[in-house]
Amino acid sequence: DIIYNIGVANDSQGNIEAARSSYSMVLDKQPNHLVALKARARCNFRLNDYLSLAEDSRRVRELEPDS
């Protein structure tokens, strides 16, 4: 997905807010996209957005209970 790849590019360049936005766009269309969800959770951590991190982590556990 091109939007996910834009997120990865932004993430690797340190544009964390832009990366999070891209991952969110992916998740709006594909709510079970586990890789984008984990990537957004990492962005939330790096941005000290712990409430959003907790929400994403809960969702990851729902989709991948053994993680």
Side-chain angles (χ1 to χ4, degrees):
D1 181 80
I2 188 79
I3 303 298
Y4 173 77
N5 290 334
I6 290 170
V8 170
N10 279 315
D11 204 351
S12 68
Q13 294 175 359
N15 301 322
I16 307 308
E17 289 191 25
R20 179 171 65 173
S21 177
S22 293
Y23 298 140
S24 291
M25 284 190 268
V26 170
L27 291 163
D28 285 344
K29 293 181 181 180
Q30 299 175 59
N32 294 335
H33 195 297
L34 192 57
V35 177
L37 187 59
K38 288 179 179 181
R40 186 174 72 178
R42 283 191 304 272
C43 289
N44 288 329
F45 176 78
R46 292 167 68 192
L47 292 168
N48 299 320
D49 184 350
Y50 301 115
L51 181 59
S52 296
L53 171 61
E55 292 171 4
D56 284 349
S57 296
R58 179 191 55 76
R59 183 72 179 130
V60 166
R61 284 191 304 274
E62 287 175 1
L63 295 173
E64 194 175 68
D66 295 329
S67 66

